[in-house]
Amino acid sequence: MIFRTYIMFVVIAIAFSPLAMTAQSGGGPGKQTTTEKPTASPTGQTVSQAGNSNAVEASGTVVGRITDQKTNAAIANASIQVTGTRIGTMTDDNGKFTLRGIPAGTVGLTIRRIGYAPTTVKSVVIHADSTVTQNVQLASAAVELQSQEITAAVSRGGVADALEARKEAPAIVNAITSEEIAKSPDGDAAQAVQRVTGVTVQDGKYVFVRGLGERYTTTSLNGARIPSPEPERRVVPLDLFPTGLIQGIVTAKTFTPDKPGDFGGATVDIQMKEFPLKRQISYSFSTGFNSLTSGRTLLASPRAGGEWFAFATGNRALSNIVKHVATSDTASRATINSAIRSLRNDWTPITRQLAPNYSFGANIGGVMHPFGQRVGYMLSGSYGNSNEAKSNEVRSLAVMNDQATGEITPFSRFAGRSSTASVLWGGLFNASTLIGERTRLITNNMYNRSGDNEATELFGNRDQDDNVPTLRRSIRYIERSVRSNQLRAEHMFSERNAINFGVTLAGVSRNEPDRTELDYVREVDIATNNLMPYMLFIRNMDGARKTFATLEENSVNLNADYNFRQFKVGALYRNTRRTADNYAFSVVNNYAPNISIPQSLLEMTAENIFSGGAVSDTSSYFIILRNSFGGTYSAKEAVTSTYGMITQEFGRKLKLIGGVRAEHVDLTVTSLSTTRESNIAKRNNWDILPALNLQYNLNPDQNLRLGLSQTVSRPEYREISPVEYRDMVEQRTISGNSNLQQSRITNVDLRWEWYPSSLELISVGVFGKHFTAPIERVEIATSGASRLGYINADNGYNLGIEMEFRRSLNILSEKLEPLTLFSNLTLMKSEINMESNEVSSFTHDKRPMIGQAPYVLNTGINYVNAERKISAALLYNVVGKRLQAGGIEPLPDTYELQRHMVDMSLQVPLFQRIQAKMDIKNLLDSPYKVEQGGVLRAGYKTGRSMSLGFRWEP
């Protein structure tokens, strides 16, 4: 049904387009005119403006819109000419234009139209193979008879800019711009990127592209790889990046040799804000509430001080005496109890009335002239404090109750509630300057930090056999940070001869100190056969547990690229160091003879039990032990690569971008378990990775693209470390596989793109991937509790079709000019073959890939009244039922069900350059559900959120 409806939308959009005949003929307003007369470039060189494909190759493009200064109405048939040259074009009926083949450098644009004063825009900076957006307003000749001169102010982050860049890109890409983000209620990069075709986000932070797991998506910041702050994976959680700092997010879906070789499914490049060409200052503030949190008394995690700025780990640190006692057989009674008392005496969630959510930010940018040197700069910062809650929360396992009938029932089912108080703040400083006329220096610096304080309370049955009522409580605090310092140099020897250098120092950290988990049980009084009060369960390692985990990762990226005519060569070196520690300790009964813990003591709160006489120097009730899961692992990885690629045009229609990348990876992962068992896993791989991309211009507004490539997917550091850790949500142990090998991927993409105007797009594409030895997380059958691990499957494939359109509704009526309808749909199918595996008896040896959904749909409508500066957006997103875990016989597979998300946003001007914005998220309050054979494994609701914000540009 979704597919048929979507096809109908696309057909209607094409059929009713008045530009269809123009697009097919390649003519009409906006067609660029050139002559073959050589002209002087701003750098003094002479280049041919037509008939020379190499000249176009080393040039840039300007797109924009010409409007009336008073009414903001589009001006058709205005002439735009590069000052001092014969390069020119005319605007179309919507006032839009495209100027291609402009020599790199600083140029001027002269705009003329009968009835308007001629206008010259100075200092438009053109870079080779890039696109600049330049909008201009003309004054009526009746008011202004003399010509005007203005300084260019580049419009970055606009939809037109992104579509033009996408149109001219050498590969298949999708993008979300700051303009689109500003019209949505999205607060971080993870929320924003899920609007991109074929992109889904899991757990609110991990990106899946085209149904492939997060392992197949790499993340970069301004083109340089970012380390991951996650101990169990190398993926970067995008909720770390507030949208207030983002210029745009570009998702590349086809591989070119100048990208890293572990391009499994896509690369997501987060582009931070750049400086404007004139001074701009803005301030923003927003506040809001959630229907489950604001004004209510809910669970909360006790604070230790410093949570407001995500610097709160000091008072939660693990003391050395605990490490000593937990691994010693000779510690004295006084020492053991001293170790227990040294643990932070916060074990239980508290209740607190949560404050409204709020955020604020500031931006200042422009151009300054220190010591006579022209420097563009951007300084930006943001801070946000939010509260989230989960109601009707359910967690359970599934068990086969009757194999004859196939009846599956819940096992160890818990239900309750949880809440999270979060802080996210960050800042950036970017600057750029020209040295002479040919060298540009750029620095990009960013630091983001987050803190999440979680509290959970669940009621249920500890196990199926005894059916013991259990109260499970936990508190958890996680701090994460990411920083990036980048310096780049670009030097142009000539119009077709340039070299770029870059160095990036990046680092991440994750600190999870003092995660606390408690179990209280209600046992049956044998004498009365009645349930006794809840008592702290400390007869095994799960009753009273504290976990301490840290992660640090730092990387150095060095890269150089050299462009000569249509050739491009380059090299990259990346050195990464990671250290991750995970230690868990449990306080349990002392089973020594003649030791009996009074029932009245165990009925107290944990805070009273572990601070009173029960842990005095002479008490013998408890001992402290180190859990078997946990340990330490460190990773050292050096990636050295070089590539060569060529961009060759065949006439005016066909362009070939092809080449090969050679990449060497030297990886060592050293692991140390809690029992001091060591393991060293090494990988030393050479990979030769070819790529071929063809682009055929059916006409100036339509492209046909074909991409063929070979890439790899490498194991994450954690996945080849046999150190065990405990998943808090699923209550299962997870361990790596030191024998895991990298997989190889063959990629095929085919896409048709049509750009009816600078703000409109229709595209249809198909893709296919074949995997050799793909890596999958699987459930491993054991005689005891279930475990999760990683294996290389035999092979697999991923196939799909992507459709996207963005059209103004003026194709139906001029009165609908302010409305734009946009949508994208991805249909996917994948299969993994695990017939030769020996670790488990899977229910299905052939099944979809983990995280694979059959479809992803995004759709919405924008309203923009440029004259009144009012805009609104209504957004809808749904991801089809996707596989979360493969089942082990006789149980079926586990699936995350579809979740229908509806959001809306409204922006209106107030007064004195103040803009107001109202956002509403999750209007349907759609529940999150994970099911296995009809059993609800996990589920909750997050409530509806509303915020009101203000932006002031003095």
Side-chain angles (χ1 to χ4, degrees):
M1 180 64 184
I2 290 178
F3 177 71
R4 291 198 299 269
T5 303
Y6 195 87
I7 290 296
M8 180 182 69
F9 278 144
V10 173
V11 171
I12 291 174
I14 296 174
F16 280 86
S17 171
L19 299 176
M21 295 302 294
T22 301
Q24 292 172 2
S25 65
K31 184 177 179 181
Q32 184 174 333
T33 60
T34 61
T35 70
E36 297 190 13
K37 180 181 177 179
T39 60
S41 74
T43 56
Q45 288 193 307
T46 300
V47 294
S48 175
Q49 301 303 321
N52 188 333
S53 62
N54 289 335
V56 173
E57 208 167 57
S59 60
T61 301
V62 175
V63 299
R65 191 167 186 250
I66 309 300
T67 57
D68 187 285
Q69 191 177 75
K70 280 191 173 182
T71 66
N72 206 40
I75 300 176
N77 297 319
S79 69
I80 301 95
Q81 187 171 6
V82 179
T83 307
T85 75
R86 298 290 298 277
I87 305 173
T89 189
M90 303 286 286
T91 57
D92 62 17
D93 292 339
N94 294 315
K96 298 163 188 173
F97 69 91
T98 300
L99 268 175
R100 297 188 180 90
I102 305 175
T106 302
V107 302
L109 299 178
T110 300
I111 302 96
R112 293 183 175 88
R113 178 69 168 89
I114 296 175
Y116 291 89
T119 299
T120 299
V121 183
K122 300 188 300 181
S123 303
V124 180
V125 180
I126 307 297
H127 295 286
D129 301 321
S130 67
T131 299
V132 172
T133 297
Q134 183 62 60
N135 299 321
V136 181
Q137 290 190 323
L138 299 184
S140 172
V143 176
E144 182 64 60
L145 297 177
Q146 296 180 349
S147 64
Q148 300 183 26
E149 284 193 356
I150 60 177
T151 301
V154 179
S155 173
R156 298 183 177 92
V159 174
D161 194 11
L163 290 182
E164 182 65 25
R166 174 174 170 175
K167 182 179 179 181
E168 301 297 331
I172 294 176
V173 300
N174 290 96
I176 183 85
T177 68
S178 58
E179 178 182 322
E180 294 170 288
I181 293 171
K183 294 175 183 177
S184 76
D186 301 329
D188 57 54
Q191 297 172 18
V193 77
Q194 66 182 345
R195 313 290 181 189
V196 173
T197 307
V199 173
T200 61
V201 176
Q202 195 169 55
D203 300 331
K205 62 184 73 173
Y206 305 121
V207 174
F208 285 38
V209 179
R210 291 175 167 176
L212 299 172
E214 71 268 18
R215 74 168 61 256
Y216 298 105
T217 302
T218 60
T219 305
S220 59
L221 184 70
N222 295 322
R225 181 73 63 87
I226 311 172
S228 169
E230 298 299 305
E232 295 88 22
R233 58 191 86 188
R234 200 168 49 180
V235 64
V236 178
L238 296 190
D239 62 333
L240 269 174
F241 301 91
T243 52
L245 306 181
I246 296 173
Q247 187 74 33
I249 305 173
V250 178
T251 303
K253 296 180 178 178
T254 55
F255 174 68
T256 52
D258 54 350
K259 293 183 174 65
D262 54 347
F263 183 103
T267 62
V268 176
D269 185 38
I270 302 173
Q271 299 171 351
M272 308 308 284
K273 285 185 175 179
E274 296 184 11
F275 66 91
L277 293 180
K278 64 178 181 179
R279 185 178 177 85
Q280 292 182 0
I281 301 175
S282 66
Y283 304 97
S284 61
F285 172 80
S286 70
T287 185
F289 66 90
N290 180 278
S291 59
L292 297 181
T293 62
S294 294
R296 298 192 180 191
T297 300
L298 297 175
L299 284 180
S301 180
R303 294 171 177 159
E307 285 85 359
W308 293 105
F309 296 98
F311 284 102
T313 60
N315 294 331
R316 292 176 164 92
L318 176 65
S319 64
N320 289 327
I321 190 174
V322 175
K323 295 180 182 179
H324 167 71
V325 170
T327 57
S328 173
D329 296 327
T330 60
S332 66
R333 263 284 111 213
T335 305
I336 293 173
N337 289 323
S338 177
I340 296 174
R341 294 196 304 270
S342 74
L343 295 170
R344 178 171 172 258
N345 197 35
D346 282 314
W347 297 78
T348 310
I350 61 175
T351 56
R352 181 187 299 127
Q353 188 170 7
L354 301 181
N357 303 332
Y358 64 88
S359 66
F360 55 85
N363 300 285
I364 179 171
V367 178
M368 55 184 178
H369 298 81
F371 308 105
Q373 180 69 30
R374 187 173 185 271
V375 178
Y377 67 94
M378 166 59 75
L379 184 63
S380 182
S382 68
Y383 177 91
N385 194 310
S386 63
N387 296 286
E388 297 179 355
K390 296 176 182 176
S391 67
N392 304 321
E393 187 167 4
V394 174
R395 300 178 188 174
S396 71
L397 300 177
V399 64
M400 180 64 70
N401 192 47
D402 188 337
Q403 292 197 28
T405 62
E407 181 186 5
I408 300 173
T409 57
F411 165 56
S412 190
R413 185 181 188 275
F414 285 81
R417 56 180 179 161
S418 64
S419 65
T420 304
S422 300
V423 167
L424 173 62
W425 62 269
L428 65 85
F429 173 71
N430 297 334
S432 175
T433 187
L434 283 171
I435 299 177
E437 296 183 354
R438 298 180 179 273
T439 303
R440 185 184 182 206
L441 292 180
I442 307 147
T443 179
N444 297 297
N445 305 275
M446 182 275 301
Y447 181 84
N448 291 336
R449 192 173 188 88
S450 71
D452 299 309
N453 214 8
E454 303 176 7
T456 304
E457 185 176 75
L458 303 170
F459 294 85
N461 296 320
R462 185 172 179 81
D463 53 61
Q464 186 187 42
D465 297 329
D466 296 332
N467 202 30
V468 178
T470 303
L471 167 60
R472 180 165 289 166
R473 289 171 168 166
S474 65
I475 57 176
R476 187 183 192 191
Y477 178 75
I478 304 172
E479 272 182 9
R480 297 174 298 168
S481 71
V482 55
R483 63 167 175 82
S484 176
N485 305 100
Q486 188 178 74
L487 178 65
R488 292 182 289 136
E490 304 171 354
H491 180 75
M492 293 188 65
F493 298 102
S494 66
E495 296 295 334
R496 298 157 59 192
N497 190 352
I499 190 168
N500 301 320
F501 296 97
V503 56
T504 303
L505 306 179
V508 294
S509 67
R510 184 183 189 274
N511 201 339
E512 185 182 1
D514 198 23
R515 184 176 86 196
T516 301
E517 297 160 272
L518 293 175
D519 276 2
Y520 290 86
V521 298
R522 294 191 72 183
E523 297 183 332
V524 177
D525 188 326
I526 299 177
T528 64
N529 201 34
N530 294 326
L531 286 173
M532 296 186 291
Y534 277 108
M535 298 183 298
L536 183 63
F537 185 81
I538 54 174
R539 282 178 285 181
N540 68 18
M541 302 289 282
D542 293 333
R545 181 170 64 230
K546 281 184 177 279
T547 303
F548 302 82
T550 61
L551 180 144
E552 294 283 344
E553 181 172 327
N554 294 281
S555 68
V556 178
N557 288 263
L558 303 173
N559 68 280
D561 303 283
Y562 177 61
N563 292 268
F564 180 70
R565 299 179 183 270
Q566 67 267 44
F567 299 100
K568 184 178 181 181
V569 295
L572 176 142
Y573 174 77
R574 184 174 69 249
N575 190 294
T576 305
R577 295 289 186 269
R578 168 186 279 203
T579 300
D581 297 324
N582 187 298
Y583 297 106
F585 304 90
S586 295
V587 179
V588 299
N589 300 48
N590 181 7
Y591 286 104
N594 303 320
I595 300 297
S596 178
I597 303 178
Q599 178 180 326
S600 59
L601 176 64
L602 296 180
E603 291 176 4
M604 296 181 177
T605 65
E607 285 80 2
N608 289 329
I609 295 173
F610 298 131
S611 64
V615 289
S616 65
D617 286 348
T618 58
S619 175
S620 301
Y621 289 143
F622 308 112
I623 58 175
I624 186 168
L625 298 176
R626 186 167 173 176
N627 280 260
S628 60
F629 59 84
T632 300
Y633 76 90
S634 62
K636 299 179 180 180
E637 183 182 42
V639 178
T640 306
S641 57
T642 185
Y643 72 89
M645 60 185 289
I646 183 173
T647 301
Q648 181 64 52
E649 292 188 4
F650 299 92
R652 295 178 179 269
K653 294 285 189 179
L654 182 64
K655 181 187 291 186
L656 177 151
I657 303 98
V660 65
R661 186 180 188 91
E663 196 161 87
H664 175 252
V665 176
D666 186 1
L667 171 64
T668 300
V669 177
T670 303
S671 307
L672 187 65
S673 70
T674 56
T675 58
R676 313 303 293 175
E677 295 180 1
S678 63
N679 177 277
I680 298 178
K682 292 188 176 184
R683 300 290 183 273
N684 197 302
N685 297 108
W686 269 105
D687 296 297
I688 305 298
L689 307 171
L692 174 66
N693 287 273
L694 295 173
Q695 177 180 332
Y696 184 76
N697 297 325
L698 298 172
N699 58 52
D701 299 321
Q702 296 187 44
N703 291 331
L704 187 63
R705 297 179 183 271
L706 173 67
L708 305 169
S709 63
Q710 181 86 51
T711 56
V712 296
S713 175
R714 301 186 179 102
E716 312 293 356
Y717 304 143
R718 182 65 185 80
E719 293 172 352
I720 58 177
S721 170
V723 167
E724 297 180 346
Y725 70 96
R726 185 79 167 169
D727 185 281
M728 182 176 138
V729 175
E730 298 187 32
Q731 296 296 310
R732 291 191 288 186
T733 301
I734 304 175
S735 61
N737 176 3
S738 58
N739 295 319
L740 211 59
Q741 300 298 319
Q742 72 176 22
S743 58
R744 297 190 71 85
I745 310 169
T746 302
N747 311 278
V748 181
D749 285 87
L750 179 65
R751 177 184 286 188
W752 168 75
E753 302 170 338
W754 176 28
Y755 301 86
S757 75
S758 62
L759 293 175
E760 295 178 312
L761 164 71
I762 297 175
S763 72
V764 179
V766 294
F767 62 86
K769 296 178 182 292
H770 181 270
F771 300 84
T772 302
I775 301 168
E776 287 281 286
R777 192 179 88 156
V778 298
E779 192 165 351
I780 300 174
T782 63
S783 57
S786 64
R787 298 165 59 90
L788 295 174
Y790 302 90
I791 65 168
N792 284 109
D794 298 337
N795 52 63
Y797 68 82
N798 175 242
L799 304 174
I801 179 171
E802 293 179 325
M803 294 168 282
E804 180 179 6
F805 76 87
R806 181 185 185 93
R807 294 301 313 263
S808 170
L809 294 187
N810 63 7
I811 59 176
L812 303 177
S813 170
E814 291 185 2
K815 295 181 180 179
L816 299 179
E817 169 76 25
L819 295 175
T820 298
L821 183 67
F822 57 91
S823 184
N824 59 71
L825 172 68
T826 304
L827 304 173
M828 298 164 287
K829 181 182 180 181
S830 68
E831 184 177 274
I832 287 289
N833 181 6
M834 297 182 293
E835 293 178 338
S836 65
N837 94 89
E838 299 178 355
V839 299
S840 287
S841 299
F842 296 118
T843 305
H844 303 104
D845 289 331
K846 294 183 178 181
R847 57 162 175 77
M849 301 177 72
I850 297 295
Q852 172 70 69
Y855 63 86
V856 177
L857 172 64
N858 287 291
T859 191
I861 189 166
N862 275 342
Y863 170 82
V864 178
N865 188 317
E867 183 177 353
R868 297 185 179 181
K869 298 182 179 179
I870 297 174
S871 67
L874 181 65
L875 308 169
Y876 170 74
N877 167 265
V878 63
V879 179
K881 175 179 163 182
R882 53 182 166 181
L883 183 69
Q884 190 183 73
I888 296 179
E889 291 184 343
L891 294 174
D893 298 334
T894 301
Y895 283 89
E896 179 183 334
L897 304 187
Q898 59 265 41
R899 192 180 184 197
H900 301 273
M901 305 295 291
V902 176
D903 305 323
M904 67 176 296
S905 181
L906 172 66
Q907 295 185 71
V908 296
L910 295 180
F911 53 89
Q912 295 181 349
R913 302 174 68 95
I914 295 179
Q915 189 92 0
K917 181 183 180 185
M918 183 181 70
D919 296 329
I920 302 177
K921 299 182 64 176
N922 194 18
L923 273 168
L924 303 179
D925 195 13
S926 182
Y928 170 87
K929 291 183 179 181
V930 175
E931 289 188 356
Q932 184 176 19
V935 171
L936 184 62
R937 289 284 306 273
Y940 55 81
K941 282 191 170 185
T942 57
R944 300 173 179 87
S945 297
M946 178 177 177
S947 67
L948 180 63
F950 303 90
R951 180 182 176 86
W952 177 40
E953 296 182 358

